[in-house]
Amino acid sequence: MNFRILALSCLLGVAAACSARQLPKEYIPHQVIVGLKPGHKSETIAAASRINARVIEESLNHDWLLVQLPNSISVARGLDYFDRQPSTRYADANGILHADFIPNDTNWGNQYGPRLIDCPNGWDIDQGGSNIVVAIIDTGTMMTHSDLASKIYTNVGEIPNNGIDDDGNGFIDDDHGWNFNNNNRNAADDNGHGTHTSGIACAATNNANGIAGVGFNCVVMPIKVLNSGGSGSFTAVANGINYAWRNGAKVLSMSLGGSSGTQALSDACNAAWNNNCIICASAGNNGNTSANYPAFYSVCIAIASVDSNDFRSSFSEFGTWVDVAAPGGNVYSTWFNGGYMLLSGTSMSCPHVAGQAALLWHKNGVNTSNQTIRDDIEQTTDNNGRYGIGNGSQGGRVNVFRSLQRGGAQNVNPTNFDVFRGVLVSGGLAELLSSDDQYVIVQNGVVALPTEAPITVRIYSVAPGQTASDLKLLVENKVSINGLNQFIDAFNFTNGVYDNLDTRAAPQSDTVITSTIANPNDHIEAGTRNMAARIRVKPAGPVFSNTWTSSTDQVLWQFTP
């Protein structure tokens, strides 16, 4: 027995030789995370065995092992031991993270958050879709809540309750996310925090019930990494992150944090970013500039809190490392008893931005780079410099409408039209709003002036309130007979005349013509933002027909700020 103790002492070294590293304020006793050098897993397992330690978990990315130390070995001594192994890339304590909310028992209140960040105008541009998945990495989600039941991600490759990993992703029956606390398929919420953040991001919207989620039609992937007390380990969170990006989430929302991180957590965040995800993380509730992990990692969008008066919340972290702010004080959202609750914290701020990111992914397409999505969020904020975050030129409160305006070209539909020459046979404004084979049909009248087009339709619209960097006009049109020419023009408000954009033989089948408008801001009236276009059709030569028609299926402007 004495020989065995002596042998362990030789392997571990004396206490005075241990690394003078700072441990997290809270961590799981007798557990260390050991990062693996590529191809050195077996050496690490052997090293653990030599001190009577055992491997109890492996990263989904196979880049770290969680080692359970014997009770006789402290975390500090275990870290020192593994740091000295040639197979070790890093060694860290398995610290504990906590949900970033401040409980508040205020009575029911109004849902000010989506209004403050201008969701209503943003939803006029895009309302998201079920193909965009937001991973809520939290305490789980109440999936039967009336405002969430229709918004839960379903793994279509998995047959539930058959005890088989149908899709081969390493998880059996994970039809609605995963529980990394208990390593099972039950990602239901036993705390309330995750249900609250789920509702902020993606509650069913425009359904005459409850609240509106920022992400409108986007869906939630419940990933439970925090227990009923709102706490969870580094490894649970790291595995939750890796599960999310590996299983199709485009946005990761983490309303949690701690005063220190670990390489495993950093590696997981980097993996998600490198696989084209957006990572939103709450900045923390200490009311100072101290770092909060994982938000402090550069690949995460660190999110501070503002109140209903648009001032930084007193509890919110701030500083140059914090990227943006969002509503977090007294936020009304779904609760795990089936009702609703007011809570405060940067935890509530984080899912506002996650929902915003989801809308941007849907508008711009899933192949858009995550850097573009992040730029759209961070470079369209309001009140830069007001909240004590960011670098001054950036670092404001998010604005959903402005970010969606910036996020590439937006379609602007006609607001009115008139028939300047010819006779309207059928159709109205609704027929110009979509490509659906429903037409505005105009018939020629008497050709009194051979120089004029006997059919001329004028279409009007209103541009968004920003300067245009690009402007295009899309027209889908056809005519009834051969021998006609078609002209597409845009009105120039600087000189008061129409500029021709396209001239061609008029098509006899539906043809989409998209024309780029040179000097786009000359074609937008200052102040009113009015735009005008016209479609003209006239004979190329003698036409032996008393009646002929021009049929327009769709007209729209494509406006890029």
Side-chain angles (χ1 to χ4, degrees):
M1 182 66 177
N2 290 336
F3 175 79
R4 183 62 175 168
I5 293 172
L6 178 61
L8 286 174
S9 297
C10 292
L11 287 170
L12 292 165
V14 295
C18 290
S19 302
R21 71 159 71 196
Q22 184 175 0
L23 296 176
K25 289 182 179 179
E26 295 179 79
Y27 56 89
I28 298 176
H30 307 297
Q31 287 188 6
V32 294
I33 308 167
V34 182
L36 302 174
K37 291 181 179 177
H40 288 273
K41 176 180 173 181
S42 60
E43 290 97 320
T44 301
I45 295 173
S49 178
R50 286 195 292 271
I51 60 170
N52 291 337
R54 59 190 178 90
V55 174
I56 61 174
E57 188 175 355
E58 183 177 0
S59 154
L60 295 183
N61 292 347
H62 307 293
D63 55 359
W64 55 256
L65 300 175
L66 181 60
V67 175
Q68 182 72 45
L69 301 170
N71 292 339
S72 60
I73 300 177
S74 69
V75 168
R77 294 187 73 192
L79 293 175
D80 182 67
Y81 171 72
F82 282 102
D83 274 338
R84 290 185 282 109
Q85 302 304 311
S87 61
T88 298
R89 184 160 64 96
Y90 63 83
D92 281 320
N94 195 9
I96 295 174
L97 305 178
H98 296 281
D100 275 331
F101 77 98
I102 297 175
N104 190 311
D105 57 358
T106 306
N107 291 331
W108 304 102
N110 294 324
Q111 194 183 1
Y112 75 93
R115 295 195 305 277
L116 183 62
I117 62 177
D118 205 4
C119 285
N121 282 319
W123 291 331
D124 284 342
I125 298 173
D126 195 279
Q127 296 181 354
S130 59
N131 64 315
I132 306 299
V133 179
V134 179
I136 301 293
I137 301 173
D138 210 298
T139 63
T141 300
M142 183 186 180
M143 290 174 261
T144 58
H145 195 291
S146 61
D147 233 359
L148 292 169
S150 65
K151 305 303 298 297
I152 302 300
Y153 151 87
T154 297
N155 179 1
V156 296
E158 197 73 18
I159 301 171
N161 299 312
N162 69 350
I164 299 172
D165 179 14
D166 300 287
D167 61 357
N169 70 347
F171 297 88
I172 295 173
D173 292 336
D174 61 324
D175 52 331
H176 301 300
W178 195 256
N179 180 334
F180 285 96
N181 280 138
N182 299 318
N183 196 33
N184 62 39
R185 64 187 291 265
N186 182 16
D189 191 2
D190 53 6
N191 172 279
H193 186 268
T195 298
H196 200 270
T197 57
S198 296
I200 295 168
C202 290
T205 302
N206 199 34
N207 66 338
N209 177 58
I211 64 168
V214 174
F216 210 103
N217 289 319
C218 301
V219 299
V220 166
M221 176 189 287
I223 299 179
K224 183 172 175 58
V225 299
L226 304 180
N227 61 24
S228 60
S231 300
S233 68
F234 285 154
T235 49
V237 176
N239 273 333
I241 293 168
N242 288 324
Y243 178 92
W245 69 260
R246 286 174 172 271
N247 288 279
K250 292 301 296 179
V251 183
L252 282 60
S253 181
M254 292 188 286
S255 295
L256 47 81
S259 60
S260 62
T262 172
Q263 191 65 47
L265 192 60
S266 175
D267 287 350
C269 291
N270 286 332
W273 176 262
N274 292 337
N275 282 276
N276 208 35
C277 295
I278 285 290
I279 312 161
C280 300
S282 52
N285 300 326
N286 293 314
N288 55 36
T289 60
S290 60
N292 194 51
Y293 294 86
F296 192 75
Y297 297 133
S298 62
V299 295
C300 298
I301 300 177
I303 304 159
S305 171
V306 298
D307 60 24
S308 58
N309 294 315
D310 206 10
F311 291 102
R312 189 182 75 234
S313 303
S314 60
F315 55 77
S316 177
E317 301 295 85
F318 58 98
T320 56
W321 67 273
V322 180
D323 298 302
V324 297
N330 287 331
V331 174
Y332 180 51
S333 187
T334 45
W335 196 238
F336 75 141
N337 64 359
Y340 300 84
M341 181 67 74
L342 282 167
L343 293 180
S344 292
T346 56
S347 279
M348 286 65 251
S349 308
C350 177
H352 280 90
V353 182
Q356 176 187 20
L359 292 174
L360 286 164
W361 277 121
H362 186 260
K363 178 180 183 296
N364 295 333
V366 295
N367 293 323
T368 304
S369 76
N370 54 0
Q371 187 62 58
T372 296
I373 301 296
R374 183 167 183 169
D375 288 346
D376 288 344
I377 293 169
E378 295 182 356
Q379 295 177 13
T380 58
T381 51
D382 293 334
N383 306 324
N384 292 334
R386 174 175 179 171
Y387 310 104
I389 62 175
N391 62 13
S393 62
Q394 292 178 209
R397 190 249 309 126
V398 297
N399 185 309
V400 170
F401 174 50
R402 290 183 63 194
S403 67
L404 286 166
Q405 281 186 310
R406 183 181 190 273
Q410 62 187 87
N411 293 336
V412 180
N413 286 316
T415 56
N416 198 5
F417 80 97
D418 62 38
V419 176
F420 182 69
R421 293 186 183 278
V423 177
L424 178 64
V425 176
S426 64
L429 182 62
E431 279 64 47
L432 296 181
L433 300 184
S434 63
S435 177
D436 56 3
D437 294 331
Q438 303 295 315
Y439 302 95
V440 167
I441 301 176
V442 178
Q443 182 176 291
N444 75 306
V446 176
V447 182
L449 298 172
T451 58
E452 295 288 345
I455 289 180
T456 302
V457 179
R458 300 183 298 194
I459 307 102
Y460 309 97
S461 190
V462 179
Q466 294 175 284
T467 300
S469 65
D470 187 68
L471 187 63
K472 293 181 171 64
L473 181 67
L474 180 151
V475 173
E476 185 176 0
N477 195 73
K478 66 179 181 179
V479 296
S480 60
I481 62 172
N482 195 17
L484 305 176
N485 285 338
Q486 176 179 278
F487 305 81
I488 298 174
D489 311 317
F491 191 77
N492 188 322
F493 289 91
T494 62
N495 58 22
V497 301
Y498 279 94
D499 293 338
N500 180 249
L501 305 179
D502 185 271
T503 299
R504 67 180 64 204
Q508 288 185 264
S509 61
D510 269 354
T511 300
V512 176
I513 300 165
T514 301
S515 305
T516 298
I517 300 176
N519 303 313
N521 293 292
D522 292 348
H523 296 79
I524 301 172
E525 186 175 27
T528 66
R529 309 296 292 167
N530 288 333
M531 299 185 293
R534 68 183 181 186
I535 304 168
R536 295 180 292 145
V537 180
K538 68 178 182 179
V543 172
F544 301 100
S545 176
N546 292 327
T547 60
W548 39 274
T549 60
S550 173
S551 301
T552 306
D553 193 358
Q554 183 184 27
V555 176
L556 62 83
W557 283 260
Q558 295 174 330
F559 180 97
T560 303

